[in-house]
Amino acid sequence: MMKVSRLIETGMRTFKSKLPMPEKVKTEHLKKLKMPVLGILAGQSTMHHSEKSFQIGLENLRNPYSNMVLFEDASHAINGEYPEKLLQTIEDFLKHIE
């Protein structure tokens, strides 16, 4: 599995998008969100600073049903590396907001 994740990470580092890259979500925008938000971060992603993003989410999401989850050993290809754990995380979140 690690070989697959390394291959995916290499692809992510060398990928060139023809579309504009998404903008970073500003903390003032997070504070204004009224709906529940599930933030899922990969601890080993090369796309963002996971721990900092995790903390920003915890500090700024106001809805009591919002949740931040950090998969510490996951790369940006989290859905391929931890599909069952990811599914369970999403299902648990949805149960709380229904």
Side-chain angles (χ1 to χ4, degrees):
M1 184 60 127
M2 285 303 290
K3 289 181 181 180
V4 172
S5 64
R6 285 189 200 136
L7 177 64
I8 293 168
E9 277 296 312
T10 299
M12 293 301 297
R13 279 194 308 273
T14 60
F15 175 78
K16 298 220 187 307
S17 178
K18 295 194 183 238
L19 299 174
M21 293 299 288
E23 292 183 23
K24 183 178 175 182
V25 178
K26 297 178 180 170
T27 55
E28 59 265 20
H29 293 154
L30 289 176
K31 290 177 183 179
K32 292 179 183 177
L33 293 176
K34 295 187 187 326
M35 78 289 272
V37 173
L38 173 60
I40 300 174
L41 297 161
Q44 302 304 310
S45 176
T46 59
M47 304 299 286
H48 58 264
H49 190 289
S50 305
E51 291 178 15
K52 183 177 178 182
S53 299
F54 179 80
Q55 197 61 41
I56 288 170
L58 287 177
E59 292 170 1
N60 293 285
L61 291 170
R62 301 290 188 223
N63 186 293
Y65 294 106
S66 290
N67 191 21
M68 295 295 294
V69 179
L70 179 63
F71 286 64
E72 291 185 20
D73 295 329
S75 74
H76 197 71
I78 189 172
N79 58 326
E81 295 171 332
Y82 295 94
E84 294 86 13
K85 187 176 176 183
L86 183 60
L87 175 62
Q88 189 63 56
T89 299
I90 295 168
E91 286 178 342
D92 291 346
F93 173 74
L94 292 174
K95 285 178 191 173
H96 284 94
I97 63 170
E98 292 182 320

